Amino acid sequence: MMEIMEGSHAVAEAVKRCRPEVVSAYPITPQTHIVERLAEFVADGEMESDYLTVDSEFSALSACVGASAAGSRVYSSTSSQGLILMAEVCFNASGMRLPIVMSIANRALGAPLSIWNDQQDSIAMRDSGWFQLYAEDVQELVDYHFLSYRVAEDHNILLPGFVCFDGFILSHTYEPVDIPDQETVDAYLPVFDPYQKLDANDPISMGMYATPDYYMEFRYELDRAMERAAGAIEDAGRAFGEHFGREYGSLVEAYRMDDADTALVAMGSICGTVKDAVDEMRDAGRKVGLLKLRSFRPFPQAEVARALDGVAAVAVLDKNISPGMAMKGAVGLEVRDALWKTGIDVYSYVIGLGGRDVRKKDIAAVADLAESGRGDMFYGLREELI
Amino acid sequence: MVDKSLELFDCGHRACGGCGPALAARLILKGAGADSIVVASTGCMEVFSTPYPETAWKVPWIHSLFENASAVASGIEASLKRQGRTEKVLCICGDGATFDIGMLCISGAFERGHDITYICYDNEAYMNTGVQRSGATPYDASTTTSPAGKESFGNKRPKKDMPQILAAHGAPYVATASVAYPNDLMQKVERAVETPGPCYLQIHAPCSTGWGFEGGKTMEIGKLAIQTGLWVNFEMVDGEIAKAKKVVRKPVDEYLMAQKRFRHLFKPARNEEEIAKIQAIADTNAEKYGIDIELKK
Ligand SMILES: Cc1ncc(C[n+]2csc(CCOP(=O)(O)OP(=O)(O)O)c2C)c(N)n1
Ligand code: SF4
Ligand SMILES: [Mg+2]
């Protein structure tokens, strides 16, 4: 049944239906409405979870590590500074192959302090060994939670994952959304079956130290699991269609890409604006399309190459900046790598940092720049401030 | 009742000869029993006991990071509760992990009131990284980051009072122990794991390598610390000191002279002023905890 709901509350409804046994989180704008709503669910007995009101994001994720290792499905959520405070634990959780799922309300990083959206936070955690899905709208945001637990807990995968969504833009807007009923979720997402756990009846040691004779193979296995995750996400996305009637069978979504000469590539809520801009440009006779990335890790390299085959120019909208990197945006670099040796021009445009508005005309202007061979630059700067 | 025959910490680990923390691990598990889950911090004990693919731990054991054991333990405890399981959750962490970098997580875990037992094996410095000072390093001890020198007598600050800090969190049971008094140590562990709520135990664990003494002298050094009043074995119940081990005190000299970390106080010449300051620390301890046995004239 469709309901009009705030994005954060929709996330809370989804998380409730995932039945985590332990929830551990720390408030930070713009994630707060999620954890507040979860606290209400627990207080009202609507959710049978232990809700740990911890001292910091660092402890929040550390407690998730413990609870997951002890055999529970766990949940956390954060943003921006909170995620970076968790950084050490993030690497640790993936190293121990703990299937934790965490919602990331994407927000800029200080200094200067900003509570507004970009995707610097999760992209900075690119190499932490978590898979990263990016939601375009509240419906995808809800659905990715069910999908993420299913992928994370797959014994062939065992990776933690982020469900990323643009802070305020999705967290604080009301959209019509279908919140599936519990039975449907239960049928799709089985009860957590830990691959191994801390148990006095069968003692194991977890998180041991590894000498140079052993360390590299652990990282190799982690990378291999991430490679397998691509297929697992697709499978889980197809199964999603069977259970819920909405399909996510590919890590990318092509919008009006047939016969496109210029492709825009983006992740997250900006894709909605880009689709509108593409429609307008198409109406004006321009052959422009959008390639939306659902997943940044694993990066869908083959799908990107296939989808962009035959275009003349690619404009990647990067809501992040890697200072000192010639191309500037991290997503752009990946796309350029996917199209290596094809001769297709790929440009990155750093856009919408710290909540700066991105309008349809900005998207059209970026397409113009790509077609004229100019890119790897910031777009939308206020020249008078520089 | 403590089953002293229980061996849950296996031999074959990589600790130095006479390692106090290794002995502590063995005694702790005798006190806690097999129905335990141990959370470790990064440090000597983690490194010498779990070089992959070997482990000395016969109980479930997890190491996450240097500073988050108490938060990890919080999550484990919450998970066990939901699953209806009854294992005891213990943190066994170094003094650096406890006094310094782990304070935030410890404070949070104690304030939330988790049913965990947090045990600090206190070897009074960061040993794993090469004997740097911590908040637990005693006054005037020479370490690699508080070296004695022409202008320095070693560590400039006295030991942080962690037991008081955790008692102030409302911990129902806080105690100190020493590997040199194994029965007392095991009994305190047993009491801590059986007391509901967050309990804290701080175990004096002499480190032959870091303190500079022969590996065969661990027990002797541990006893001297108690006999001089520089370490006090006590129990606090609901924030009140309930019991402290009484001694006929010796002057601090004998303890200091037995360890290279205090050698600079005696060579090239005896440093009366600094030794007097350390004696004053022992005297204050004795008064605070009432440990002096009055000898009949
Ligand atoms: C965040 C972080 N900072 C620093 C270190 C390096 N480090 C590893 S163990 C250690 C000292 C451990 O000291 P302590 O807790 O007293 O244990 P000990 O080695 O003395 O047994 C340090 C500084 C680390 N592993 N992680
Ligand atoms: S350095 Fe000290 S604490 Fe570390 S293993 Fe050696 S004796 Fe034990
Ligand atoms: Mg130490």
PDB file of all heavy atoms in Angstrom, chain A residues 21 55 59 62-63 66 70 72 88 92 198 200 204-209, chain B residues 47 52 54-55 61 63-64 67-68 71 75 79 82-83 85 87 105 112:
ATOM      1  N   GLU A  21      18.317  -7.648  15.880  1.00  0.00           N
ATOM      2  CA  GLU A  21      18.233  -7.927  17.322  1.00  0.00           C
ATOM      3  C   GLU A  21      18.889  -6.825  18.133  1.00  0.00           C
ATOM      4  O   GLU A  21      18.520  -6.582  19.273  1.00  0.00           O
ATOM      5  CB  GLU A  21      18.916  -9.260  17.645  1.00  0.00           C
ATOM      6  CG  GLU A  21      18.061 -10.456  17.295  1.00  0.00           C
ATOM      7  CD  GLU A  21      18.693 -11.752  17.771  1.00  0.00           C
ATOM      8  OE1 GLU A  21      19.898 -11.964  17.536  1.00  0.00           O
ATOM      9  OE2 GLU A  21      17.978 -12.560  18.373  1.00  0.00           O
ATOM     10  N   ASP A  55      27.783   6.150  23.382  1.00  0.00           N
ATOM     11  CA  ASP A  55      28.463   7.412  23.637  1.00  0.00           C
ATOM     12  C   ASP A  55      29.001   8.081  22.388  1.00  0.00           C
ATOM     13  O   ASP A  55      29.447   9.220  22.439  1.00  0.00           O
ATOM     14  CB  ASP A  55      29.631   7.135  24.586  1.00  0.00           C
ATOM     15  CG  ASP A  55      30.416   5.909  24.137  1.00  0.00           C
ATOM     16  OD1 ASP A  55      31.266   6.035  23.256  1.00  0.00           O
ATOM     17  OD2 ASP A  55      30.137   4.803  24.651  1.00  0.00           O
ATOM     18  N   SER A  59      31.629   3.960  19.226  1.00  0.00           N
ATOM     19  CA  SER A  59      31.087   2.878  20.050  1.00  0.00           C
ATOM     20  C   SER A  59      29.890   2.220  19.368  1.00  0.00           C
ATOM     21  O   SER A  59      29.670   1.016  19.528  1.00  0.00           O
ATOM     22  CB  SER A  59      30.658   3.403  21.427  1.00  0.00           C
ATOM     23  OG  SER A  59      31.778   3.548  22.272  1.00  0.00           O
ATOM     24  N   SER A  62      31.230  -0.227  17.003  1.00  0.00           N
ATOM     25  CA  SER A  62      31.957  -1.249  17.765  1.00  0.00           C
ATOM     26  C   SER A  62      30.975  -2.219  18.425  1.00  0.00           C
ATOM     27  O   SER A  62      31.203  -3.433  18.449  1.00  0.00           O
ATOM     28  CB  SER A  62      32.840  -0.598  18.832  1.00  0.00           C
ATOM     29  OG  SER A  62      33.826   0.211  18.228  1.00  0.00           O
ATOM     30  N   ALA A  63      29.893  -1.685  18.967  1.00  0.00           N
ATOM     31  CA  ALA A  63      28.884  -2.548  19.581  1.00  0.00           C
ATOM     32  C   ALA A  63      28.244  -3.441  18.518  1.00  0.00           C
ATOM     33  O   ALA A  63      27.942  -4.620  18.777  1.00  0.00           O
ATOM     34  CB  ALA A  63      27.815  -1.707  20.284  1.00  0.00           C
ATOM     35  N   GLY A  66      30.477  -6.367  17.988  1.00  0.00           N
ATOM     36  CA  GLY A  66      30.326  -7.366  19.039  1.00  0.00           C
ATOM     37  C   GLY A  66      29.051  -8.172  18.882  1.00  0.00           C
ATOM     38  O   GLY A  66      29.060  -9.409  18.942  1.00  0.00           O
ATOM     39  N   ALA A  70      28.565 -12.107  17.963  1.00  0.00           N
ATOM     40  CA  ALA A  70      27.881 -13.007  18.894  1.00  0.00           C
ATOM     41  C   ALA A  70      26.686 -13.698  18.233  1.00  0.00           C
ATOM     42  O   ALA A  70      26.061 -14.559  18.844  1.00  0.00           O
ATOM     43  CB  ALA A  70      27.431 -12.237  20.132  1.00  0.00           C
ATOM     44  N   SER A  72      24.018 -11.992  16.199  1.00  0.00           N
ATOM     45  CA  SER A  72      22.775 -11.245  15.993  1.00  0.00           C
ATOM     46  C   SER A  72      22.814 -10.437  14.700  1.00  0.00           C
ATOM     47  O   SER A  72      23.880  -9.951  14.295  1.00  0.00           O
ATOM     48  CB  SER A  72      22.543 -10.260  17.150  1.00  0.00           C
ATOM     49  OG  SER A  72      22.171 -10.947  18.313  1.00  0.00           O
ATOM     50  N   GLU A  88      37.785   3.525  11.530  1.00  0.00           N
ATOM     51  CA  GLU A  88      38.640   2.421  11.965  1.00  0.00           C
ATOM     52  C   GLU A  88      37.809   1.143  12.159  1.00  0.00           C
ATOM     53  O   GLU A  88      38.244   0.037  11.832  1.00  0.00           O
ATOM     54  CB  GLU A  88      39.347   2.815  13.259  1.00  0.00           C
ATOM     55  CG  GLU A  88      40.482   1.891  13.623  1.00  0.00           C
ATOM     56  CD  GLU A  88      41.060   2.166  15.001  1.00  0.00           C
ATOM     57  OE1 GLU A  88      40.489   2.962  15.770  1.00  0.00           O
ATOM     58  OE2 GLU A  88      42.090   1.553  15.321  1.00  0.00           O
ATOM     59  N   ASN A  92      37.623  -2.693  10.210  1.00  0.00           N
ATOM     60  CA  ASN A  92      37.687  -3.863  11.073  1.00  0.00           C
ATOM     61  C   ASN A  92      36.510  -4.809  10.830  1.00  0.00           C
ATOM     62  O   ASN A  92      36.676  -6.030  10.749  1.00  0.00           O
ATOM     63  CB  ASN A  92      37.697  -3.367  12.523  1.00  0.00           C
ATOM     64  CG  ASN A  92      38.070  -4.444  13.489  1.00  0.00           C
ATOM     65  OD1 ASN A  92      37.214  -4.965  14.184  1.00  0.00           O
ATOM     66  ND2 ASN A  92      39.335  -4.802  13.528  1.00  0.00           N
ATOM     67  N   LEU A 198      30.678 -16.212  18.229  1.00  0.00           N
ATOM     68  CA  LEU A 198      31.271 -16.423  19.546  1.00  0.00           C
ATOM     69  C   LEU A 198      30.293 -17.256  20.358  1.00  0.00           C
ATOM     70  O   LEU A 198      29.139 -16.864  20.545  1.00  0.00           O
ATOM     71  CB  LEU A 198      31.497 -15.072  20.237  1.00  0.00           C
ATOM     72  CG  LEU A 198      32.453 -14.111  19.532  1.00  0.00           C
ATOM     73  CD1 LEU A 198      32.370 -12.725  20.154  1.00  0.00           C
ATOM     74  CD2 LEU A 198      33.884 -14.634  19.588  1.00  0.00           C
ATOM     75  N   ALA A 200      30.370 -20.202  23.689  1.00  0.00           N
ATOM     76  CA  ALA A 200      31.170 -20.973  24.654  1.00  0.00           C
ATOM     77  C   ALA A 200      31.123 -22.475  24.367  1.00  0.00           C
ATOM     78  O   ALA A 200      32.012 -23.212  24.784  1.00  0.00           O
ATOM     79  CB  ALA A 200      30.692 -20.689  26.076  1.00  0.00           C
ATOM     80  N   ILE A 204      35.859 -20.122  19.319  1.00  0.00           N
ATOM     81  CA  ILE A 204      36.747 -19.716  18.224  1.00  0.00           C
ATOM     82  C   ILE A 204      37.390 -18.386  18.616  1.00  0.00           C
ATOM     83  O   ILE A 204      36.889 -17.684  19.489  1.00  0.00           O
ATOM     84  CB  ILE A 204      36.000 -19.522  16.881  1.00  0.00           C
ATOM     85  CG1 ILE A 204      34.834 -18.527  17.043  1.00  0.00           C
ATOM     86  CG2 ILE A 204      35.512 -20.853  16.315  1.00  0.00           C
ATOM     87  CD1 ILE A 204      34.252 -18.048  15.725  1.00  0.00           C
ATOM     88  N   SER A 205      38.497 -18.069  17.951  1.00  0.00           N
ATOM     89  CA  SER A 205      39.126 -16.761  18.129  1.00  0.00           C
ATOM     90  C   SER A 205      38.878 -15.934  16.878  1.00  0.00           C
ATOM     91  O   SER A 205      39.080 -16.413  15.763  1.00  0.00           O
ATOM     92  CB  SER A 205      40.639 -16.912  18.350  1.00  0.00           C
ATOM     93  OG  SER A 205      40.893 -17.500  19.607  1.00  0.00           O
ATOM     94  N   MET A 206      38.440 -14.702  17.076  1.00  0.00           N
ATOM     95  CA  MET A 206      38.147 -13.807  15.949  1.00  0.00           C
ATOM     96  C   MET A 206      39.015 -12.554  16.056  1.00  0.00           C
ATOM     97  O   MET A 206      39.215 -12.043  17.145  1.00  0.00           O
ATOM     98  CB  MET A 206      36.671 -13.388  15.956  1.00  0.00           C
ATOM     99  CG  MET A 206      35.704 -14.532  15.766  1.00  0.00           C
ATOM    100  SD  MET A 206      33.974 -13.968  15.827  1.00  0.00           S
ATOM    101  CE  MET A 206      33.849 -13.067  14.302  1.00  0.00           C
ATOM    102  N   GLY A 207      39.466 -12.074  14.911  1.00  0.00           N
ATOM    103  CA  GLY A 207      40.234 -10.827  14.912  1.00  0.00           C
ATOM    104  C   GLY A 207      41.652 -11.031  15.411  1.00  0.00           C
ATOM    105  O   GLY A 207      42.213 -10.178  16.091  1.00  0.00           O
ATOM    106  N   MET A 208      42.233 -12.183  15.080  1.00  0.00           N
ATOM    107  CA  MET A 208      43.604 -12.472  15.494  1.00  0.00           C
ATOM    108  C   MET A 208      44.569 -11.615  14.669  1.00  0.00           C
ATOM    109  O   MET A 208      44.166 -10.948  13.733  1.00  0.00           O
ATOM    110  CB  MET A 208      43.883 -13.954  15.241  1.00  0.00           C
ATOM    111  CG  MET A 208      42.892 -14.841  15.960  1.00  0.00           C
ATOM    112  SD  MET A 208      42.774 -16.469  15.221  1.00  0.00           S
ATOM    113  CE  MET A 208      44.308 -17.180  15.778  1.00  0.00           C
ATOM    114  N   TYR A 209      45.837 -11.697  15.029  1.00  0.00           N
ATOM    115  CA  TYR A 209      46.777 -10.900  14.235  1.00  0.00           C
ATOM    116  C   TYR A 209      47.478 -11.817  13.242  1.00  0.00           C
ATOM    117  O   TYR A 209      47.682 -12.999  13.486  1.00  0.00           O
ATOM    118  CB  TYR A 209      47.718 -10.109  15.131  1.00  0.00           C
ATOM    119  CG  TYR A 209      49.080 -10.690  15.336  1.00  0.00           C
ATOM    120  CD1 TYR A 209      50.144 -10.275  14.543  1.00  0.00           C
ATOM    121  CD2 TYR A 209      49.311 -11.633  16.325  1.00  0.00           C
ATOM    122  CE1 TYR A 209      51.410 -10.801  14.736  1.00  0.00           C
ATOM    123  CE2 TYR A 209      50.574 -12.154  16.525  1.00  0.00           C
ATOM    124  CZ  TYR A 209      51.618 -11.735  15.724  1.00  0.00           C
ATOM    125  OH  TYR A 209      52.866 -12.242  15.903  1.00  0.00           O
TER     126      TYR A 209
ATOM    127  N   VAL B  47      48.741 -10.009  20.912  1.00  0.00           N
ATOM    128  CA  VAL B  47      49.765 -10.427  19.954  1.00  0.00           C
ATOM    129  C   VAL B  47      50.419 -11.747  20.375  1.00  0.00           C
ATOM    130  O   VAL B  47      50.599 -12.640  19.550  1.00  0.00           O
ATOM    131  CB  VAL B  47      50.813  -9.306  19.774  1.00  0.00           C
ATOM    132  CG1 VAL B  47      52.004  -9.806  18.986  1.00  0.00           C
ATOM    133  CG2 VAL B  47      50.179  -8.105  19.068  1.00  0.00           C
ATOM    134  N   TYR B  52      47.807 -15.758  14.130  1.00  0.00           N
ATOM    135  CA  TYR B  52      47.047 -16.610  13.224  1.00  0.00           C
ATOM    136  C   TYR B  52      47.976 -17.626  12.556  1.00  0.00           C
ATOM    137  O   TYR B  52      49.070 -17.251  12.150  1.00  0.00           O
ATOM    138  CB  TYR B  52      46.382 -15.738  12.150  1.00  0.00           C
ATOM    139  CG  TYR B  52      45.562 -16.516  11.164  1.00  0.00           C
ATOM    140  CD1 TYR B  52      44.237 -16.810  11.427  1.00  0.00           C
ATOM    141  CD2 TYR B  52      46.132 -16.982   9.979  1.00  0.00           C
ATOM    142  CE1 TYR B  52      43.491 -17.551  10.531  1.00  0.00           C
ATOM    143  CE2 TYR B  52      45.389 -17.728   9.089  1.00  0.00           C
ATOM    144  CZ  TYR B  52      44.062 -17.999   9.364  1.00  0.00           C
ATOM    145  OH  TYR B  52      43.332 -18.742   8.488  1.00  0.00           O
ATOM    146  N   GLU B  54      47.164 -19.745  15.071  1.00  0.00           N
ATOM    147  CA  GLU B  54      47.173 -20.373  16.395  1.00  0.00           C
ATOM    148  C   GLU B  54      46.503 -19.467  17.410  1.00  0.00           C
ATOM    149  O   GLU B  54      46.566 -18.249  17.298  1.00  0.00           O
ATOM    150  CB  GLU B  54      48.622 -20.613  16.844  1.00  0.00           C
ATOM    151  CG  GLU B  54      49.347 -21.652  16.012  1.00  0.00           C
ATOM    152  CD  GLU B  54      50.847 -21.606  16.239  1.00  0.00           C
ATOM    153  OE1 GLU B  54      51.270 -21.186  17.332  1.00  0.00           O
ATOM    154  OE2 GLU B  54      51.574 -21.969  15.303  1.00  0.00           O
ATOM    155  N   THR B  55      45.920 -20.086  18.438  1.00  0.00           N
ATOM    156  CA  THR B  55      45.353 -19.293  19.515  1.00  0.00           C
ATOM    157  C   THR B  55      45.563 -20.012  20.834  1.00  0.00           C
ATOM    158  O   THR B  55      45.574 -21.237  20.879  1.00  0.00           O
ATOM    159  CB  THR B  55      43.843 -19.031  19.294  1.00  0.00           C
ATOM    160  OG1 THR B  55      43.359 -18.228  20.378  1.00  0.00           O
ATOM    161  CG2 THR B  55      43.027 -20.308  19.213  1.00  0.00           C
ATOM    162  N   TRP B  61      36.867 -15.855  21.862  1.00  0.00           N
ATOM    163  CA  TRP B  61      37.715 -14.666  22.046  1.00  0.00           C
ATOM    164  C   TRP B  61      37.591 -13.795  20.814  1.00  0.00           C
ATOM    165  O   TRP B  61      37.555 -14.288  19.690  1.00  0.00           O
ATOM    166  CB  TRP B  61      39.163 -15.154  22.219  1.00  0.00           C
ATOM    167  CG  TRP B  61      40.227 -14.099  22.365  1.00  0.00           C
ATOM    168  CD1 TRP B  61      40.736 -13.615  23.523  1.00  0.00           C
ATOM    169  CD2 TRP B  61      40.957 -13.444  21.308  1.00  0.00           C
ATOM    170  NE1 TRP B  61      41.730 -12.695  23.257  1.00  0.00           N
ATOM    171  CE2 TRP B  61      41.883 -12.575  21.919  1.00  0.00           C
ATOM    172  CE3 TRP B  61      40.916 -13.511  19.910  1.00  0.00           C
ATOM    173  CZ2 TRP B  61      42.759 -11.771  21.179  1.00  0.00           C
ATOM    174  CZ3 TRP B  61      41.780 -12.710  19.182  1.00  0.00           C
ATOM    175  CH2 TRP B  61      42.689 -11.852  19.816  1.00  0.00           C
ATOM    176  N   HIS B  63      39.083  -9.966  19.171  1.00  0.00           N
ATOM    177  CA  HIS B  63      39.826  -8.710  19.230  1.00  0.00           C
ATOM    178  C   HIS B  63      39.343  -7.857  18.070  1.00  0.00           C
ATOM    179  O   HIS B  63      39.324  -8.314  16.933  1.00  0.00           O
ATOM    180  CB  HIS B  63      41.331  -8.978  19.096  1.00  0.00           C
ATOM    181  CG  HIS B  63      42.109  -7.775  18.647  1.00  0.00           C
ATOM    182  ND1 HIS B  63      42.603  -7.652  17.366  1.00  0.00           N
ATOM    183  CD2 HIS B  63      42.435  -6.644  19.298  1.00  0.00           C
ATOM    184  CE1 HIS B  63      43.217  -6.482  17.262  1.00  0.00           C
ATOM    185  NE2 HIS B  63      43.137  -5.849  18.411  1.00  0.00           N
ATOM    186  N   SER B  64      38.938  -6.636  18.368  1.00  0.00           N
ATOM    187  CA  SER B  64      38.541  -5.726  17.293  1.00  0.00           C
ATOM    188  C   SER B  64      39.611  -4.656  17.129  1.00  0.00           C
ATOM    189  O   SER B  64      40.385  -4.695  16.177  1.00  0.00           O
ATOM    190  CB  SER B  64      37.167  -5.132  17.602  1.00  0.00           C
ATOM    191  OG  SER B  64      36.838  -4.123  16.686  1.00  0.00           O
ATOM    192  N   GLU B  67      41.010   0.350  21.124  1.00  0.00           N
ATOM    193  CA  GLU B  67      40.295   1.187  22.083  1.00  0.00           C
ATOM    194  C   GLU B  67      38.807   0.869  22.232  1.00  0.00           C
ATOM    195  O   GLU B  67      38.089   1.608  22.884  1.00  0.00           O
ATOM    196  CB  GLU B  67      40.458   2.656  21.676  1.00  0.00           C
ATOM    197  CG  GLU B  67      39.832   3.061  20.333  1.00  0.00           C
ATOM    198  CD  GLU B  67      40.705   2.777  19.116  1.00  0.00           C
ATOM    199  OE1 GLU B  67      41.440   1.766  19.136  1.00  0.00           O
ATOM    200  OE2 GLU B  67      40.633   3.552  18.143  1.00  0.00           O
ATOM    201  N   ASN B  68      38.317  -0.215  21.632  1.00  0.00           N
ATOM    202  CA  ASN B  68      36.859  -0.367  21.643  1.00  0.00           C
ATOM    203  C   ASN B  68      36.341  -1.629  22.330  1.00  0.00           C
ATOM    204  O   ASN B  68      35.165  -1.970  22.173  1.00  0.00           O
ATOM    205  CB  ASN B  68      36.310  -0.312  20.209  1.00  0.00           C
ATOM    206  CG  ASN B  68      36.713  -1.530  19.390  1.00  0.00           C
ATOM    207  OD1 ASN B  68      37.504  -2.358  19.822  1.00  0.00           O
ATOM    208  ND2 ASN B  68      36.158  -1.639  18.190  1.00  0.00           N
ATOM    209  N   ALA B  71      33.010  -1.389  24.124  1.00  0.00           N
ATOM    210  CA  ALA B  71      31.860  -1.197  23.237  1.00  0.00           C
ATOM    211  C   ALA B  71      31.520  -2.506  22.522  1.00  0.00           C
ATOM    212  O   ALA B  71      30.343  -2.856  22.369  1.00  0.00           O
ATOM    213  CB  ALA B  71      32.144  -0.091  22.219  1.00  0.00           C
ATOM    214  N   GLY B  75      27.949  -4.790  22.835  1.00  0.00           N
ATOM    215  CA  GLY B  75      27.171  -5.398  21.761  1.00  0.00           C
ATOM    216  C   GLY B  75      27.001  -6.897  21.979  1.00  0.00           C
ATOM    217  O   GLY B  75      25.918  -7.450  21.754  1.00  0.00           O
ATOM    218  N   SER B  79      23.479  -8.834  22.534  1.00  0.00           N
ATOM    219  CA  SER B  79      23.133  -9.950  21.654  1.00  0.00           C
ATOM    220  C   SER B  79      22.817 -11.208  22.457  1.00  0.00           C
ATOM    221  O   SER B  79      21.810 -11.888  22.197  1.00  0.00           O
ATOM    222  CB  SER B  79      24.296 -10.220  20.689  1.00  0.00           C
ATOM    223  OG  SER B  79      24.127 -11.458  20.043  1.00  0.00           O
ATOM    224  N   ARG B  82      19.413 -11.024  24.023  1.00  0.00           N
ATOM    225  CA  ARG B  82      18.319 -11.263  23.070  1.00  0.00           C
ATOM    226  C   ARG B  82      18.190 -12.736  22.721  1.00  0.00           C
ATOM    227  O   ARG B  82      17.107 -13.231  22.443  1.00  0.00           O
ATOM    228  CB  ARG B  82      18.533 -10.456  21.787  1.00  0.00           C
ATOM    229  CG  ARG B  82      18.313  -9.002  21.967  1.00  0.00           C
ATOM    230  CD  ARG B  82      17.162  -8.478  21.124  1.00  0.00           C
ATOM    231  NE  ARG B  82      15.864  -8.955  21.499  1.00  0.00           N
ATOM    232  CZ  ARG B  82      15.030  -8.332  22.322  1.00  0.00           C
ATOM    233  NH1 ARG B  82      15.373  -7.213  22.904  1.00  0.00           N
ATOM    234  NH2 ARG B  82      13.838  -8.825  22.566  1.00  0.00           N
ATOM    235  N   GLN B  83      19.345 -13.410  22.709  1.00  0.00           N
ATOM    236  CA  GLN B  83      19.316 -14.830  22.368  1.00  0.00           C
ATOM    237  C   GLN B  83      19.020 -15.713  23.578  1.00  0.00           C
ATOM    238  O   GLN B  83      18.954 -16.939  23.442  1.00  0.00           O
ATOM    239  CB  GLN B  83      20.665 -15.260  21.773  1.00  0.00           C
ATOM    240  CG  GLN B  83      21.043 -14.547  20.485  1.00  0.00           C
ATOM    241  CD  GLN B  83      22.413 -15.012  19.987  1.00  0.00           C
ATOM    242  OE1 GLN B  83      22.638 -16.194  19.747  1.00  0.00           O
ATOM    243  NE2 GLN B  83      23.339 -14.085  19.834  1.00  0.00           N
ATOM    244  N   ARG B  85      21.053 -16.228  26.010  1.00  0.00           N
ATOM    245  CA  ARG B  85      22.261 -16.972  26.382  1.00  0.00           C
ATOM    246  C   ARG B  85      22.860 -16.424  27.670  1.00  0.00           C
ATOM    247  O   ARG B  85      22.593 -15.293  28.052  1.00  0.00           O
ATOM    248  CB  ARG B  85      23.282 -16.890  25.232  1.00  0.00           C
ATOM    249  CG  ARG B  85      22.878 -17.748  24.042  1.00  0.00           C
ATOM    250  CD  ARG B  85      23.639 -17.394  22.778  1.00  0.00           C
ATOM    251  NE  ARG B  85      25.078 -17.488  22.966  1.00  0.00           N
ATOM    252  CZ  ARG B  85      25.966 -17.116  22.027  1.00  0.00           C
ATOM    253  NH1 ARG B  85      25.545 -16.636  20.862  1.00  0.00           N
ATOM    254  NH2 ARG B  85      27.246 -17.219  22.252  1.00  0.00           N
ATOM    255  N   GLU B  87      26.381 -16.783  28.731  1.00  0.00           N
ATOM    256  CA  GLU B  87      27.821 -16.636  28.909  1.00  0.00           C
ATOM    257  C   GLU B  87      28.161 -15.303  29.577  1.00  0.00           C
ATOM    258  O   GLU B  87      27.471 -14.309  29.376  1.00  0.00           O
ATOM    259  CB  GLU B  87      28.531 -16.683  27.536  1.00  0.00           C
ATOM    260  CG  GLU B  87      28.539 -18.052  26.885  1.00  0.00           C
ATOM    261  CD  GLU B  87      27.702 -18.096  25.624  1.00  0.00           C
ATOM    262  OE1 GLU B  87      26.515 -17.680  25.688  1.00  0.00           O
ATOM    263  OE2 GLU B  87      28.222 -18.530  24.580  1.00  0.00           O
ATOM    264  N   CYS B 105      34.861   4.696  25.382  1.00  0.00           N
ATOM    265  CA  CYS B 105      34.027   3.496  25.264  1.00  0.00           C
ATOM    266  C   CYS B 105      33.748   2.878  26.625  1.00  0.00           C
ATOM    267  O   CYS B 105      32.645   2.384  26.875  1.00  0.00           O
ATOM    268  CB  CYS B 105      34.718   2.451  24.376  1.00  0.00           C
ATOM    269  SG  CYS B 105      34.927   2.968  22.670  1.00  0.00           S
ATOM    270  N   ARG B 112      26.002   2.846  30.746  1.00  0.00           N
ATOM    271  CA  ARG B 112      24.818   2.112  30.258  1.00  0.00           C
ATOM    272  C   ARG B 112      24.497   0.907  31.124  1.00  0.00           C
ATOM    273  O   ARG B 112      23.425   0.318  31.001  1.00  0.00           O
ATOM    274  CB  ARG B 112      25.041   1.650  28.809  1.00  0.00           C
ATOM    275  CG  ARG B 112      25.064   2.755  27.785  1.00  0.00           C
ATOM    276  CD  ARG B 112      25.035   2.209  26.354  1.00  0.00           C
ATOM    277  NE  ARG B 112      26.157   1.362  26.033  1.00  0.00           N
ATOM    278  CZ  ARG B 112      27.357   1.789  25.617  1.00  0.00           C
ATOM    279  NH1 ARG B 112      27.580   3.080  25.492  1.00  0.00           N
ATOM    280  NH2 ARG B 112      28.329   0.948  25.331  1.00  0.00           N
TER     281      ARG B 112
END
